[in-house]
Amino acid sequence: MSTTAAEAHLLKGNGTKKRPHEHGGRQFKNKNKKQKIQQKPGKDGSNEDVLLADVLSILKLQDADDPSSKSSSNKEAESVVNLDNLPQETDVMIVELSSTGDGLALLPGLHQVLVVPFTVPGDVARVKIFQQNTDRPFLLTDLLQIKEASPKRDNSLIRCPYFATCSGCQFQMLSYPDQLAHKQRIIEKAYVNFSGLTSDLVPSVNDTIGSPLQYGYRTKLTPHFDGPPGPRRRRNGENPKWSEVPPIGFMKKGMRTTLDIEDCPIGTDAVRKGMKAERQRVADQLDMYKRGATLLLRENTERVSKDTLPTSEQANIIDGSSSEDRADTVVEDRGAYVHRKTCITDNNAISTEYVDDFVFTNPAGAFFQNNNSILPTFISYIRSHILSKDPSLPKITNLVDAYSGSGLFTITLSSLFKRSVGIDIAPSSIDSANRNAKLNNLDPSHASFRAADAAALFSDITFPANEAVVVIDPPRKGCDENFLQQLLRYGPARIVYVSCNVHTQARDVGVLVRGIEGIHDGPTSGGNCYRIESLQGFDFFPQTGHVEGVAVLTKHTS
């Protein structure tokens, strides 16, 4: 295989024109010489918190392996690093892959870790240390060159010419089994660093379940472009003028600069067609824009029974020569059906998506899971784990979907229960959920949705808690304390916690296991409220550092 642009980028250098190391004129200055280095991550599950936890773990291991390293570096560890005393460029060995997707290397002679993007353990990399805040035990760097490639690195796997410049993907040089193993480790570390639970209360994390598609899986992309240079409005009232078509794409890694991206291989074929068309439309209509904008690219699916198509058209679809495969449409053979895939660019237009035989419609700009290929496996897993297999416990007959959105879980799981109720604080989400329930022929007496006050989410739930399971799928920030208090007071027999941020999930699960003071005699160190039954990762976003987590909890009967 010939060397791709991305491979050359990695091997020959990608950071020489990024940030000059200007001694004496740095952007971030030490506030005072006695300022302490941050030694404990917060609990908000941010990238910096997650990175700091990984860094502190590495430094702790270094101290354990070489006790003299800590004592010899106490002075440096207690105060911020003076960047003027560090080399502009240095060669380092990558020793760990962080949960944020960056490589980590020890800075010789100091109690510090260097964060190096687009690297894997075993790489020897030349890096540049750029100007930044220094009140942390790590320093961010630009990757200049891979001096020696790790056995884990395989640059022939890279499919994107923008890889190692675009901030979207981190792992295209890693084999897929290695990506899945790393994501299992991300979940393990999340529960060590953020749950506050002892190891005996946390079960082993199962092997990560992979995506059927490792490329061409994203059903939604949102490229953007910046406004014209200069002030937004000139003094004489004229709007600023465009001198050229601006870069349209995604952010460069580590920089507030938009990278012009013509194509994104993790998008579905329909989304990639839409991206090409939208780029051309913006170029043609550029004068209509007075400022920058974010573009929406959302896949839409029309399902057509083959029985309704002419015999000749059915034959063309089977041999891949369908006359319906227009410039803006992708036609897929799905057995008894044909899926016509197009790309929607209007946030308020209605998009349609199928999960097995379930159909979901949503405003195109609203949230829905962005990897359709893994959803059938994902839903099947939850269906098989949502009910207890212990015959001695009361039978669970009711479902509460506490962050129901447009009804994905309520609708796909409702056949397992006598009653299913979806709750959301957004009336627009409830409107979509009710519409989807009707499309899937669900009787309102069997599955229903209601908008609820955030302060009283469970107030209208009438069925017994010991016969109920609650599914929660909060945003990345996780659950707030008010919600966790309400959930503990309701006390369902089982909880299924789905999360796109396993670090905030681990934090919240720790609360549910220990309890909250004044509710069920919490908190305790012994975990007397809920027990973690299983932890499972799903790779919704191959080539990136993101992993979806599913935690199943069961209430202690005592």
Side-chain angles (χ1 to χ4, degrees):
M1 179 178 178
S2 61
T3 301
T4 66
E7 288 179 65
H9 201 52
L10 281 168
L11 296 173
K12 296 180 181 178
N14 73 344
T16 55
K17 295 183 180 180
K18 279 190 173 180
R19 306 176 183 85
H21 195 291
E22 297 172 350
H23 292 285
R26 51 184 173 267
Q27 180 180 356
F28 300 104
K29 296 181 179 180
N30 297 346
K31 296 177 182 177
N32 63 69
K33 293 182 179 180
K34 294 184 179 180
Q35 185 180 3
K36 292 289 186 71
I37 283 183
Q38 187 178 358
Q39 293 290 346
K40 185 177 180 181
K43 290 294 185 181
D44 64 1
S46 67
N47 274 0
E48 183 159 328
D49 279 341
V50 172
L51 182 57
L52 179 58
D54 283 348
V55 166
L56 294 175
S57 294
I58 286 181
L59 293 176
K60 185 176 180 180
L61 288 174
Q62 180 194 33
D63 295 339
D65 291 340
D66 182 10
S68 65
S69 68
K70 185 172 183 180
S71 58
S72 66
S73 61
N74 263 344
K75 189 173 181 180
E76 293 88 343
E78 289 178 355
S79 61
V80 295
V81 173
N82 188 341
L83 291 177
D84 292 340
N85 295 332
L86 298 181
Q88 292 188 33
E89 299 179 7
T90 186
D91 292 346
V92 294
M93 166 75 80
I94 306 302
V95 297
E96 178 67 83
L97 192 56
S98 74
S99 295
T100 62
D102 297 310
L104 303 177
L106 292 166
L107 184 60
L110 291 174
H111 211 244
Q112 284 274 331
V113 170
L114 297 184
V115 181
V116 188
F118 309 114
T119 55
V120 298
D123 278 340
V124 177
R126 174 155 294 178
V127 303
K128 175 184 285 187
I129 304 171
F130 57 82
Q131 303 302 325
Q132 59 197 282
N133 287 322
T134 55
D135 57 350
R136 308 168 298 192
F138 62 86
L139 295 170
L140 306 178
T141 70
D142 287 330
L143 171 64
L144 299 181
Q145 185 179 4
I146 299 296
K147 302 282 288 185
E148 296 179 24
S150 164
K152 289 184 174 293
R153 172 182 291 278
D154 184 353
N155 287 340
S156 70
L157 298 173
I158 298 171
R159 294 194 190 181
C160 180
Y162 308 104
F163 181 69
T165 304
C166 174
S167 60
C169 294
Q170 296 84 46
F171 296 153
Q172 290 192 24
M173 71 298 206
L174 269 181
S175 72
Y176 197 52
D178 281 346
Q179 291 186 40
L180 296 179
H182 175 64
K183 294 185 181 190
Q184 180 185 24
R185 179 65 179 141
I186 288 175
I187 301 174
E188 292 171 347
K189 290 193 293 183
Y191 278 81
V192 170
N193 295 329
F194 291 91
S195 73
L197 299 174
T198 55
S199 59
D200 59 303
L201 297 177
V202 181
S204 298
V205 178
N206 297 325
D207 292 344
T208 308
I209 295 176
S211 171
L213 299 176
Q214 288 93 60
Y215 284 90
Y217 63 82
R218 277 201 72 122
T219 55
K220 179 184 178 183
L221 290 174
T222 53
H224 67 272
F225 61 92
D226 301 318
R232 287 189 174 182
R233 184 171 292 277
R234 302 186 192 280
R235 288 185 178 179
N236 60 8
E238 293 181 3
N239 287 312
K241 301 295 184 182
W242 297 91
S243 59
E244 60 183 355
V245 177
I248 304 171
F250 307 107
M251 300 301 288
K252 287 185 179 180
K253 174 68 173 178
M255 300 185 72
R256 296 180 178 179
T257 304
T258 302
L259 179 67
D260 191 57
I261 293 180
E262 296 183 1
D263 184 31
C264 180
I266 65 172
T268 65
D269 288 344
V271 165
R272 294 169 75 178
K273 285 190 174 189
M275 187 172 187
K276 182 178 180 180
E278 275 294 275
R279 285 174 57 86
Q280 185 61 54
R281 183 192 64 76
V282 170
D284 293 343
Q285 302 175 3
L286 189 59
D287 289 339
M288 294 176 57
Y289 292 92
K290 309 308 178 186
R291 57 179 60 88
T294 296
L295 308 177
L296 172 68
L297 307 171
R298 165 66 84 178
E299 183 177 270
N300 177 68
T301 301
E302 178 189 5
R303 175 176 281 188
V304 181
S305 172
K306 284 184 179 177
D307 293 340
T308 66
L309 298 175
T311 303
S312 59
E313 185 60 40
Q314 294 183 38
N316 289 337
I317 291 170
I318 292 173
D319 66 22
S321 60
S322 172
S323 61
E324 295 192 22
D325 199 358
R326 304 184 303 270
D328 64 343
T329 306
V330 175
V331 178
E332 296 179 354
D333 185 358
R334 295 296 185 97
Y337 300 97
V338 169
H339 280 184
R340 294 174 179 151
K341 305 284 185 103
T342 54
C343 183
I344 291 177
T345 58
D346 179 354
N347 279 272
N348 297 316
I350 299 300
S351 65
T352 302
E353 189 154 355
Y354 289 85
V355 180
D356 288 329
D357 288 330
F358 297 99
V359 58
F360 295 90
T361 60
N362 297 279
F367 172 78
F368 197 79
Q369 295 288 358
N370 293 333
N371 182 348
N372 182 273
S373 75
I374 199 174
L375 284 179
T377 301
F378 176 65
I379 294 299
S380 176
Y381 174 88
I382 294 177
R383 285 180 64 90
S384 64
H385 288 78
I386 196 167
L387 297 176
S388 174
K389 296 177 174 58
D390 186 345
S392 66
L393 297 177
K395 185 177 181 181
I396 295 175
T397 57
N398 304 292
L399 167 69
V400 180
D401 184 1
Y403 289 81
S404 65
S406 60
L408 175 64
F409 296 119
T410 308
I411 290 170
T412 58
L413 302 173
S414 62
S415 63
L416 300 175
F417 303 96
K418 291 181 179 179
R419 285 289 311 279
S420 300
V421 177
I423 304 172
D424 204 285
I425 62 173
S428 59
S429 295
I430 296 303
D431 290 343
S432 294
N434 281 320
R435 182 171 60 247
N436 289 330
K438 187 174 181 180
L439 287 171
N440 288 281
N441 301 314
L442 294 182
D443 191 313
S445 65
H446 178 59
S448 60
F449 298 89
R450 62 188 67 169
D453 183 348
L457 289 170
F458 299 96
S459 61
D460 293 336
I461 301 299
T462 58
F463 33 76
N466 66 347
E467 297 177 3
V469 58
V470 172
V471 174
I472 56 178
D473 184 9
R476 289 190 61 81
K477 66 180 181 179
C479 304
D480 61 26
E481 185 175 357
N482 174 270
F483 174 84
L484 293 174
Q485 288 176 348
Q486 292 184 63
L487 182 58
L488 283 169
R489 286 194 179 98
Y490 179 58
R494 290 171 74 77
I495 298 172
V496 177
Y497 191 140
V498 179
S499 178
C500 60
N501 184 341
V502 294
H503 309 94
T504 54
Q505 181 196 63
R507 176 201 66 199
D508 296 345
V509 167
V511 173
L512 294 172
V513 170
R514 291 188 304 272
I516 296 175
E517 189 170 356
I519 305 174
H520 300 301
D521 298 324
T524 71
S525 60
N528 70 339
C529 286
Y530 283 88
R531 173 178 62 84
I532 306 174
E533 187 174 283
S534 61
L535 296 172
Q536 178 66 60
F538 289 84
D539 190 16
F540 271 67
F541 299 103
Q543 318 310 328
T544 79
H546 298 291
V547 59
E548 194 90 0
V550 177
V552 179
L553 284 70
T554 186
K555 195 173 190 298
H556 280 295
T557 55
S558 60

